[in-house]
Amino acid sequence: MTAATYQYVDLPDASVVTARALLTARENIGDTVAARAMMCIHGGAGFGKTLAVNTCLWSSWACRTSPPRYCA
């Protein structure tokens, strides 16, 4: 399962746009995983929090062999 499928946006020719917020989330998640810590991503409904977390986790080395098993 990819992040696009999980988020029901698996439209033909669709892709995730690497916006500043996604890059920031990727950096923060990477730092958090490296520190073996916990973090909170918060914001209003529909701002892409779940998509950002799942996209970052899916692309990380830990999730390449199996689907992510995390809830955002």
Side-chain angles (χ1 to χ4, degrees), residues 36-47:
R36 299 179 57 96
M38 294 183 351
M39 68 179 283
C40 174
I41 295 180
H42 63 91
F47 281 91

Side-chain angles (χ1 to χ4, degrees), residues 16-70:
V16 175
V17 176
T18 307
R20 184 181 311 261
L22 182 61
L23 294 173
T24 301
R26 181 182 302 162
E27 182 179 346
N28 291 340
I29 290 169
D31 291 346
T32 302
V33 170
R36 299 179 57 96
M38 294 183 351
M39 68 179 283
C40 174
I41 295 180
H42 63 91
F47 281 91
K49 298 174 301 293
T50 301
L51 180 65
V53 170
N54 288 331
T55 298
C56 294
L57 290 175
W58 183 259
S59 65
S60 73
W61 64 271
C63 297
R64 288 188 184 159
T65 58
S66 63
R69 295 173 299 193
Y70 306 97

